[in-house]
Structure formats: structure tokens, C-alpha cells
Amino acid sequence: MTNRRSFLTGAGAGITALGASLVSRAGAASLPEAPTHTSSATAAPLVPTGGRPYNPVVTLNGWTLPWRMKDGVKEFHLVAEPVVREFAPGMQVNLWGYNGQSPGPTIEVVEGDRVRIFVTNKLPEHTSVHWHGQLLPCGMDGVTGLTQPGIQPGKTFVYEFVARHAGTFMYHPHADEMQQMAMGMMGFWVTHPKNPRQHAVDRDYVMLLSSYDIEPGSYTPRTNTMLDFNLWTINSRVFPGLDPMVARLGDKVRIRVGNLTMTNHPIHLHGHRFEVAGTDGGWVPKSARWPEVTTDVAVGQMRAIEFVADAPGDWAFHCHKSHHTMNAMGHDVPTLIGVDHRGVAEKINKLVPGYMVMGDKGGSMGDMKMPLPANTLPMMSGDGPFGNLEMGGMFTVLKVREGLKRGDYSDPGWYRHPAGTVAREWTGAGAGTLPPAPRAPDARPAPAPVGQAMDARKPGTKDMTGHEHH
Ligand SMILES: [Cu+2]
């Protein structure tokens, strides 16, 4: 909590006092409550207690904003404010968000709902909220300067529109966007179909991708960074801080992903095939879908993927850009694979006692124990049943199990593989005296292979040894 205090005495000084006093008493009486959340654990789905029924979503390491019904209108209250978000145990970050968290709470409504959203600004500068993907009156679109004046610090604005079509959406500021999104201001929005059986799935996960540039050892993102971000997050969490997604064997699962970073993310799921069933533009007709195991989510896009969880196990789910499944400190390090730098290390050691050379056998840091600056996560970490996972950033695990209860999202632990189904060291007959593996032709003549003849041939070459090349 000291982080939060020191932050508030800096850029946000005085803001805590503003928030309470700027809404007049009469105004406050008609404002719906603004619940806040301080935990970064995954909240249970918020089952609707009124209005049209729907199948609620689960926000990974997040939560859904409760609402109240007033004269047939669903009312929500978002408070834009400085927050402290735990990226993973051991790292707290000063962000801006909504109602105590970044990302802000997920908003869930039903197609046809009349919606009223109060937005109170407790930031030190003006803001606005744009309802990405909604079909609404232009003046409710939340673009500062174009469709409304900015919401000044301490002021509350109200947005009203009808949730006209079911689908996958998000909200974010359209005011000083670069800074405010680099500080984590965003949230998910789901409009459920009027008929709860339409597009029904057993489990419906939602997540927003965001990225941050946080110097190792510091607590607040650099907001002017254009491309060189060093923390790639799912719902402002990084692995191993992300909860697993849990599914019962045979469940129909939907995962909705929105991208508010500055680059695209090829999202990849192991062990299953999925289809892109929806975008922020709407549902994709069945006849237009095709099978995938990776789908690119470009900047400002959303994708809803659907699949049947038909394979028991612990399946990796991650961005396929390997730099996005690492935490900070992975960027400006030269490649040293194959470099013998023992002499250099010795010399440096005279100057910097305890200096360690990184990566002369590869980049694996799994078993390296190095002192890290305060408030920094290891580049690649996360303990699994077989050792270190060597992952960070945009990575989590889909855990498919038999016989889970409907609505049970608790972590079932690591998968217990049936006997004989795990890759293992080969210790059978002949182990240790393996024939040489086939090699690609080489410019230099190589000695003829001992023992077994090679039968692999490449067009234009006589054999794989390169003998008759010259
Ligand atoms: Cu990525």
C-alpha cells in the first residue's frame, strides 16, 4: 500500500479529496454505488439477479461490475482513478484504471437493454469513455473534442444508449489516449444475446491484452513508449500471475480476446482446434468459419474463439510471439550462444565481483538464481510439474478435466497423465550407440557416415554427405 500512497502524493496529489467533494449531495443521491475491487484473483461469474437472463462470462483475474435497475434502465458507475495492480506476486504497478483495478470491471448487458453509465473522473487530467464497437448515438461515442468535452477531474458524466446488438466489445478513454491506455485504462464489455440459448457455451472467458514499459526496479510505466514495451499482459497480469482457464471435458468453451496494445498478437491454443466465432463487428456466420489453432488479434481488434474442450490435460494458451511470453529484462541482451567468454567474464569479475554471463548455452534462465531489482519479475518463470516453465507475459494454461462441476472454476491442480503417455528419456536397447542422424549437405566435404547408409536425397545432390558436390 505504500506504493499507492507515494503515487498519490506525486502526480495524483489531492485527488483523493476531490473525489468525495465534487459530486454534490443531490447528485450523489441519484448516483448508483461504484463498487471497487482490490483483489486480482478471478471473480466468480456474476449471475444476473434481474432483467433478462444470460450466461455470465468469467474475466480472467478480473471481475464484472454489478448494476442496478432504475425505471427499466440498467445503471452502472465507473470511476476512473489511479490504482495499484499486482502483475504477479512480487510486482505491484502504479496504473490508472476503473473502480480499483486495471483493467476496469467487465460490463455485461443483454441485447436490447437500455443502459446508463455514470463515469466519475478521479484522475489528475480529463478523460472520456469510448464504447468500442457499440452502435449508438454519435454524441455517446466518447471521443473528446469530437463528440463531447473531456470529463474534467472531479466531474461525473453520464452516457446513455441501447445495447443494440449482441457481441464482444470493450471500453477505453478517447482522451490523451496514448498516456491513459499506456497506464492501463480499459475494460471489457459483453452484450449477451436476447435468447440465452443462442451462441450458448458452457464457459465463456474474456481478456484484454495490454502492454507496459516498466523499467526493472520501478513501479510506474513509461507512457511515451511507442513500440519497445517490456511487459505483455493479459488483463494486466503476466504469467505466472495468471489463473488457469478451467473446462470440463466436453464443455463448449469461448475465449474472447481484445487487443489494446501497439502490436498484433497471434493467440495460440495447444491440443485443440477452434473457430473464430465472433469479432467486435458481430458474429461470424457458421459457413464463413474455418478451423485454426492460432488466430491473429490485430491492434484494436477483438476475437471470440470457440472450441469443444475434448482433450484432457494442461494445455498452453499464449501469444505466439516469443518475446511476448517473457517478462522484463529480455530485450537489450546480445545473443551469446556459442560464444566462449570465460576470459571476458574473468576480467569483468575483477571489476564487478559476482558478475554472471548470460546465455552462453542458450537463453534458458530457468535454473539461474540471480538477484533482481526490487519489484521486478524473473524474465521466464512459473513452476510446473516437470520443472520451470520458462514462460512469462501473455501465457496461461487451459486445464481440461473430466467430471468438473458446472460453474466450478477452481484450479484442479496439475494434470495426472495416464501411464506411458509422457515424453521421456529413451533408455531402450541401443541407447548411447545411436546411428548418426541425417545431416543437410555441407559446403565442406564431410567424412562418410559410419555404419548405416543414408537414403535421404535432395534434388541436385548426389547424397547427403556432399561428396560429389565439387
Ligand atoms: Cu503477443
Side-chain angles (χ1 to χ4, degrees), residues 264-266 319 321 324 394:
N264 60 319
H265 301 284
C319 174
K321 290 183 175 173
H324 296 180
M394 292 170 168

Side-chain angles (χ1 to χ4, degrees), residues 127-156:
T127 189
S128 73
V129 183
H130 165 59
W131 315 99
H132 176 114
Q134 302 288 345
L135 307 176
L136 37 59
C138 185
M140 293 293 160
D141 201 38
V143 181
T144 305
L146 180 64
T147 68
Q148 67 164 87
I151 310 172
Q152 294 304 319
K155 297 292 184 194
T156 296

